[in-house]
Amino acid sequence: MKKILYIFAVFFIFCNVFASCSNDDNNDAVTPSGNPAEVAAGTYEGTWTRIANGDTTTNEGTIIIAATDSDFTADFHFISTGYSLDASSVANIAYAGSDGTTFVYNNGTSTNTLGSVFAGRIENGTVSSRFQISQRAGRTMKLFTFLFNGKKNI
């Protein structure tokens, strides 16, 4: 009797291993074509948030994204006159969805011209970004976390 149950269990498991659901395969998803840097390029205006040692302040600012000569890379220019922020760096950019309006970008090396690792997301014309850099605050240098949220100018 145990052998029959064992054979039945093995057969049941074997059948389920090779079964799949019809909605598992999404072959209808469309992959956007073209260079995502060219589609995402533009001027994004919004709010910078600067955080250091529990002190949080906000200021208006801009991120300008421009496509480079290489596919899937873009120039990111970070600007906030209130925080004396005027820095730029190149980052990788890619589509993050099939709709062609969502992107992710990052630069994983702190030796870039910004001097920091940074990353962000663009979704339906709204950009968010994050990085940390040291800036002079009075007579000392402080490590600040910068966050940006803004909309694309059309």
Side-chain angles (χ1 to χ4, degrees):
M1 183 70 172
K2 285 185 180 181
K3 283 186 178 182
I4 294 173
L5 287 175
Y6 178 75
I7 291 171
F8 180 71
V10 169
F11 177 74
F12 181 75
I13 291 170
F14 183 75
C15 289
N16 284 324
V17 166
F18 294 104
S20 70
C21 297
S22 63
N23 61 357
D24 284 349
D25 302 326
N26 188 2
N27 293 334
D28 297 336
V30 177
T31 304
S33 62
N35 183 0
E38 292 173 354
V39 179
T43 300
Y44 296 79
E45 292 183 355
T47 305
W48 283 102
T49 303
R50 186 172 78 168
I51 305 166
N53 299 330
D55 182 30
T56 303
T57 59
T58 59
N59 211 317
E60 297 303 309
T62 306
I63 292 180
I64 300 170
I65 302 172
T68 63
D69 292 339
S70 301
D71 286 348
F72 301 100
T73 61
D75 255 330
F76 287 80
H77 192 171
F78 306 103
I79 304 166
S80 175
T81 54
Y83 292 137
S84 300
L85 178 65
D86 188 359
S88 62
S89 186
V90 174
N92 297 320
I93 186 167
Y95 289 108
S98 61
D99 63 357
T101 64
T102 305
F103 312 90
V104 291
Y105 60 89
N106 73 334
N107 186 322
T109 177
S110 61
T111 58
N112 60 42
T113 54
L114 177 63
S116 174
V117 170
F118 67 94
R121 183 175 181 88
I122 303 167
E123 192 166 357
N124 297 320
T126 301
V127 66
S128 60
S129 193
R130 177 189 177 95
F131 58 86
Q132 289 185 324
I133 58 172
S134 293
Q135 283 186 323
R136 185 163 300 282
R139 296 179 358 168
T140 62
M141 292 296 283
K142 283 188 176 180
L143 181 64
F144 290 101
T145 299
F146 283 89
L147 308 171
F148 180 82
N149 285 301
K151 288 228 169 250
K152 186 175 187 177
N153 288 347
I154 298 176

mmCIF file with all atom_site columns, all heavy atoms in Angstrom, residues 25-41:
data_model
loop_
_atom_site.group_PDB
_atom_site.id
_atom_site.type_symbol
_atom_site.label_atom_id
_atom_site.label_alt_id
_atom_site.label_comp_id
_atom_site.label_asym_id
_atom_site.label_entity_id
_atom_site.label_seq_id
_atom_site.pdbx_PDB_ins_code
_atom_site.Cartn_x
_atom_site.Cartn_y
_atom_site.Cartn_z
_atom_site.occupancy
_atom_site.B_iso_or_equiv
_atom_site.pdbx_formal_charge
_atom_site.auth_seq_id
_atom_site.auth_comp_id
_atom_site.auth_asym_id
_atom_site.auth_atom_id
_atom_site.pdbx_PDB_model_num
ATOM 1   N N   . ASP A 1 25 ? 3.040  33.286 -18.873 1.00 0.00 ? 25 ASP A N   1
ATOM 2   C CA  . ASP A 1 25 ? 3.795  33.760 -20.022 1.00 0.00 ? 25 ASP A CA  1
ATOM 3   C C   . ASP A 1 25 ? 3.189  35.050 -20.532 1.00 0.00 ? 25 ASP A C   1
ATOM 4   O O   . ASP A 1 25 ? 2.057  35.059 -21.023 1.00 0.00 ? 25 ASP A O   1
ATOM 5   C CB  . ASP A 1 25 ? 3.792  32.716 -21.147 1.00 0.00 ? 25 ASP A CB  1
ATOM 6   C CG  . ASP A 1 25 ? 4.377  31.395 -20.687 1.00 0.00 ? 25 ASP A CG  1
ATOM 7   O OD1 . ASP A 1 25 ? 5.308  31.434 -19.860 1.00 0.00 ? 25 ASP A OD1 1
ATOM 8   O OD2 . ASP A 1 25 ? 3.901  30.340 -21.151 1.00 0.00 ? 25 ASP A OD2 1
ATOM 9   N N   . ASN A 1 26 ? 3.947  36.136 -20.444 1.00 0.00 ? 26 ASN A N   1
ATOM 10  C CA  . ASN A 1 26 ? 3.459  37.426 -20.924 1.00 0.00 ? 26 ASN A CA  1
ATOM 11  C C   . ASN A 1 26 ? 4.206  37.781 -22.207 1.00 0.00 ? 26 ASN A C   1
ATOM 12  O O   . ASN A 1 26 ? 5.089  38.621 -22.211 1.00 0.00 ? 26 ASN A O   1
ATOM 13  C CB  . ASN A 1 26 ? 3.651  38.505 -19.860 1.00 0.00 ? 26 ASN A CB  1
ATOM 14  C CG  . ASN A 1 26 ? 2.976  39.800 -20.258 1.00 0.00 ? 26 ASN A CG  1
ATOM 15  O OD1 . ASN A 1 26 ? 2.335  39.878 -21.297 1.00 0.00 ? 26 ASN A OD1 1
ATOM 16  N ND2 . ASN A 1 26 ? 3.135  40.825 -19.438 1.00 0.00 ? 26 ASN A ND2 1
ATOM 17  N N   . ASN A 1 27 ? 3.843  37.107 -23.266 1.00 0.00 ? 27 ASN A N   1
ATOM 18  C CA  . ASN A 1 27 ? 4.507  37.339 -24.543 1.00 0.00 ? 27 ASN A CA  1
ATOM 19  C C   . ASN A 1 27 ? 3.960  38.569 -25.261 1.00 0.00 ? 27 ASN A C   1
ATOM 20  O O   . ASN A 1 27 ? 4.478  38.969 -26.283 1.00 0.00 ? 27 ASN A O   1
ATOM 21  C CB  . ASN A 1 27 ? 4.363  36.107 -25.437 1.00 0.00 ? 27 ASN A CB  1
ATOM 22  C CG  . ASN A 1 27 ? 5.118  34.926 -24.878 1.00 0.00 ? 27 ASN A CG  1
ATOM 23  O OD1 . ASN A 1 27 ? 6.089  35.096 -24.155 1.00 0.00 ? 27 ASN A OD1 1
ATOM 24  N ND2 . ASN A 1 27 ? 4.661  33.727 -25.191 1.00 0.00 ? 27 ASN A ND2 1
ATOM 25  N N   . ASP A 1 28 ? 2.877  39.164 -24.728 1.00 0.00 ? 28 ASP A N   1
ATOM 26  C CA  . ASP A 1 28 ? 2.284  40.330 -25.351 1.00 0.00 ? 28 ASP A CA  1
ATOM 27  C C   . ASP A 1 28 ? 2.959  41.631 -24.916 1.00 0.00 ? 28 ASP A C   1
ATOM 28  O O   . ASP A 1 28 ? 2.649  42.689 -25.452 1.00 0.00 ? 28 ASP A O   1
ATOM 29  C CB  . ASP A 1 28 ? 0.795  40.408 -25.017 1.00 0.00 ? 28 ASP A CB  1
ATOM 30  C CG  . ASP A 1 28 ? 0.036  39.215 -25.576 1.00 0.00 ? 28 ASP A CG  1
ATOM 31  O OD1 . ASP A 1 28 ? 0.523  38.613 -26.550 1.00 0.00 ? 28 ASP A OD1 1
ATOM 32  O OD2 . ASP A 1 28 ? -1.027 38.890 -25.017 1.00 0.00 ? 28 ASP A OD2 1
ATOM 33  N N   . ALA A 1 29 ? 3.844  41.577 -23.916 1.00 0.00 ? 29 ALA A N   1
ATOM 34  C CA  . ALA A 1 29 ? 4.503  42.790 -23.427 1.00 0.00 ? 29 ALA A CA  1
ATOM 35  C C   . ALA A 1 29 ? 5.390  43.372 -24.522 1.00 0.00 ? 29 ALA A C   1
ATOM 36  O O   . ALA A 1 29 ? 6.158  42.672 -25.162 1.00 0.00 ? 29 ALA A O   1
ATOM 37  C CB  . ALA A 1 29 ? 5.337  42.486 -22.193 1.00 0.00 ? 29 ALA A CB  1
ATOM 38  N N   . VAL A 1 30 ? 5.275  44.665 -24.711 1.00 0.00 ? 30 VAL A N   1
ATOM 39  C CA  . VAL A 1 30 ? 6.044  45.359 -25.737 1.00 0.00 ? 30 VAL A CA  1
ATOM 40  C C   . VAL A 1 30 ? 7.248  46.011 -25.085 1.00 0.00 ? 30 VAL A C   1
ATOM 41  O O   . VAL A 1 30 ? 7.130  46.696 -24.077 1.00 0.00 ? 30 VAL A O   1
ATOM 42  C CB  . VAL A 1 30 ? 5.177  46.433 -26.426 1.00 0.00 ? 30 VAL A CB  1
ATOM 43  C CG1 . VAL A 1 30 ? 5.990  47.208 -27.438 1.00 0.00 ? 30 VAL A CG1 1
ATOM 44  C CG2 . VAL A 1 30 ? 3.969  45.798 -27.066 1.00 0.00 ? 30 VAL A CG2 1
ATOM 45  N N   . THR A 1 31 ? 8.412  45.781 -25.642 1.00 0.00 ? 31 THR A N   1
ATOM 46  C CA  . THR A 1 31 ? 9.621  46.424 -25.147 1.00 0.00 ? 31 THR A CA  1
ATOM 47  C C   . THR A 1 31 ? 9.817  47.724 -25.909 1.00 0.00 ? 31 THR A C   1
ATOM 48  O O   . THR A 1 31 ? 9.821  47.722 -27.140 1.00 0.00 ? 31 THR A O   1
ATOM 49  C CB  . THR A 1 31 ? 10.844 45.504 -25.360 1.00 0.00 ? 31 THR A CB  1
ATOM 50  O OG1 . THR A 1 31 ? 10.589 44.261 -24.723 1.00 0.00 ? 31 THR A OG1 1
ATOM 51  C CG2 . THR A 1 31 ? 12.095 46.130 -24.804 1.00 0.00 ? 31 THR A CG2 1
ATOM 52  N N   . PRO A 1 32 ? 9.946  48.848 -25.183 1.00 0.00 ? 32 PRO A N   1
ATOM 53  C CA  . PRO A 1 32 ? 10.150 50.123 -25.884 1.00 0.00 ? 32 PRO A CA  1
ATOM 54  C C   . PRO A 1 32 ? 11.428 50.089 -26.717 1.00 0.00 ? 32 PRO A C   1
ATOM 55  O O   . PRO A 1 32 ? 12.425 49.489 -26.340 1.00 0.00 ? 32 PRO A O   1
ATOM 56  C CB  . PRO A 1 32 ? 10.276 51.140 -24.756 1.00 0.00 ? 32 PRO A CB  1
ATOM 57  C CG  . PRO A 1 32 ? 9.719  50.470 -23.547 1.00 0.00 ? 32 PRO A CG  1
ATOM 58  C CD  . PRO A 1 32 ? 9.926  49.014 -23.744 1.00 0.00 ? 32 PRO A CD  1
ATOM 59  N N   . SER A 1 33 ? 11.380 50.743 -27.858 1.00 0.00 ? 33 SER A N   1
ATOM 60  C CA  . SER A 1 33 ? 12.570 50.805 -28.703 1.00 0.00 ? 33 SER A CA  1
ATOM 61  C C   . SER A 1 33 ? 13.162 52.201 -28.634 1.00 0.00 ? 33 SER A C   1
ATOM 62  O O   . SER A 1 33 ? 12.522 53.150 -28.189 1.00 0.00 ? 33 SER A O   1
ATOM 63  C CB  . SER A 1 33 ? 12.214 50.448 -30.147 1.00 0.00 ? 33 SER A CB  1
ATOM 64  O OG  . SER A 1 33 ? 11.295 51.387 -30.649 1.00 0.00 ? 33 SER A OG  1
ATOM 65  N N   . GLY A 1 34 ? 14.382 52.323 -29.069 1.00 0.00 ? 34 GLY A N   1
ATOM 66  C CA  . GLY A 1 34 ? 15.051 53.617 -29.076 1.00 0.00 ? 34 GLY A CA  1
ATOM 67  C C   . GLY A 1 34 ? 15.895 53.835 -27.839 1.00 0.00 ? 34 GLY A C   1
ATOM 68  O O   . GLY A 1 34 ? 15.952 53.005 -26.933 1.00 0.00 ? 34 GLY A O   1
ATOM 69  N N   . ASN A 1 35 ? 16.565 54.961 -27.830 1.00 0.00 ? 35 ASN A N   1
ATOM 70  C CA  . ASN A 1 35 ? 17.465 55.312 -26.737 1.00 0.00 ? 35 ASN A CA  1
ATOM 71  C C   . ASN A 1 35 ? 16.663 55.958 -25.607 1.00 0.00 ? 35 ASN A C   1
ATOM 72  O O   . ASN A 1 35 ? 16.083 57.027 -25.796 1.00 0.00 ? 35 ASN A O   1
ATOM 73  C CB  . ASN A 1 35 ? 18.536 56.273 -27.263 1.00 0.00 ? 35 ASN A CB  1
ATOM 74  C CG  . ASN A 1 35 ? 19.561 56.633 -26.229 1.00 0.00 ? 35 ASN A CG  1
ATOM 75  O OD1 . ASN A 1 35 ? 19.517 56.180 -25.091 1.00 0.00 ? 35 ASN A OD1 1
ATOM 76  N ND2 . ASN A 1 35 ? 20.516 57.466 -26.620 1.00 0.00 ? 35 ASN A ND2 1
ATOM 77  N N   . PRO A 1 36 ? 16.630 55.359 -24.416 1.00 0.00 ? 36 PRO A N   1
ATOM 78  C CA  . PRO A 1 36 ? 15.853 55.942 -23.326 1.00 0.00 ? 36 PRO A CA  1
ATOM 79  C C   . PRO A 1 36 ? 16.368 57.319 -22.896 1.00 0.00 ? 36 PRO A C   1
ATOM 80  O O   . PRO A 1 36 ? 15.594 58.143 -22.412 1.00 0.00 ? 36 PRO A O   1
ATOM 81  C CB  . PRO A 1 36 ? 15.987 54.923 -22.193 1.00 0.00 ? 36 PRO A CB  1
ATOM 82  C CG  . PRO A 1 36 ? 17.180 54.113 -22.535 1.00 0.00 ? 36 PRO A CG  1
ATOM 83  C CD  . PRO A 1 36 ? 17.286 54.117 -24.020 1.00 0.00 ? 36 PRO A CD  1
ATOM 84  N N   . ALA A 1 37 ? 17.648 57.588 -23.100 1.00 0.00 ? 37 ALA A N   1
ATOM 85  C CA  . ALA A 1 37 ? 18.198 58.901 -22.736 1.00 0.00 ? 37 ALA A CA  1
ATOM 86  C C   . ALA A 1 37 ? 17.572 60.006 -23.571 1.00 0.00 ? 37 ALA A C   1
ATOM 87  O O   . ALA A 1 37 ? 17.315 61.102 -23.071 1.00 0.00 ? 37 ALA A O   1
ATOM 88  C CB  . ALA A 1 37 ? 19.715 58.898 -22.898 1.00 0.00 ? 37 ALA A CB  1
ATOM 89  N N   . GLU A 1 38 ? 17.295 59.726 -24.833 1.00 0.00 ? 38 GLU A N   1
ATOM 90  C CA  . GLU A 1 38 ? 16.670 60.732 -25.698 1.00 0.00 ? 38 GLU A CA  1
ATOM 91  C C   . GLU A 1 38 ? 15.215 60.976 -25.306 1.00 0.00 ? 38 GLU A C   1
ATOM 92  O O   . GLU A 1 38 ? 14.732 62.102 -25.367 1.00 0.00 ? 38 GLU A O   1
ATOM 93  C CB  . GLU A 1 38 ? 16.767 60.300 -27.157 1.00 0.00 ? 38 GLU A CB  1
ATOM 94  C CG  . GLU A 1 38 ? 18.187 60.310 -27.690 1.00 0.00 ? 38 GLU A CG  1
ATOM 95  C CD  . GLU A 1 38 ? 18.307 59.732 -29.088 1.00 0.00 ? 38 GLU A CD  1
ATOM 96  O OE1 . GLU A 1 38 ? 17.299 59.199 -29.620 1.00 0.00 ? 38 GLU A OE1 1
ATOM 97  O OE2 . GLU A 1 38 ? 19.413 59.796 -29.650 1.00 0.00 ? 38 GLU A OE2 1
ATOM 98  N N   . VAL A 1 39 ? 14.516 59.934 -24.893 1.00 0.00 ? 39 VAL A N   1
ATOM 99  C CA  . VAL A 1 39 ? 13.114 60.074 -24.499 1.00 0.00 ? 39 VAL A CA  1
ATOM 100 C C   . VAL A 1 39 ? 13.005 60.799 -23.157 1.00 0.00 ? 39 VAL A C   1
ATOM 101 O O   . VAL A 1 39 ? 12.129 61.636 -22.959 1.00 0.00 ? 39 VAL A O   1
ATOM 102 C CB  . VAL A 1 39 ? 12.432 58.689 -24.430 1.00 0.00 ? 39 VAL A CB  1
ATOM 103 C CG1 . VAL A 1 39 ? 10.987 58.812 -23.996 1.00 0.00 ? 39 VAL A CG1 1
ATOM 104 C CG2 . VAL A 1 39 ? 12.526 57.972 -25.766 1.00 0.00 ? 39 VAL A CG2 1
ATOM 105 N N   . ALA A 1 40 ? 13.903 60.512 -22.223 1.00 0.00 ? 40 ALA A N   1
ATOM 106 C CA  . ALA A 1 40 ? 13.851 61.109 -20.884 1.00 0.00 ? 40 ALA A CA  1
ATOM 107 C C   . ALA A 1 40 ? 14.461 62.507 -20.823 1.00 0.00 ? 40 ALA A C   1
ATOM 108 O O   . ALA A 1 40 ? 14.262 63.227 -19.851 1.00 0.00 ? 40 ALA A O   1
ATOM 109 C CB  . ALA A 1 40 ? 14.579 60.201 -19.890 1.00 0.00 ? 40 ALA A CB  1
ATOM 110 N N   . ALA A 1 41 ? 15.196 62.907 -21.851 1.00 0.00 ? 41 ALA A N   1
ATOM 111 C CA  . ALA A 1 41 ? 15.901 64.195 -21.831 1.00 0.00 ? 41 ALA A CA  1
ATOM 112 C C   . ALA A 1 41 ? 14.940 65.355 -21.617 1.00 0.00 ? 41 ALA A C   1
ATOM 113 O O   . ALA A 1 41 ? 13.816 65.349 -22.109 1.00 0.00 ? 41 ALA A O   1
ATOM 114 C CB  . ALA A 1 41 ? 16.675 64.391 -23.134 1.00 0.00 ? 41 ALA A CB  1
#
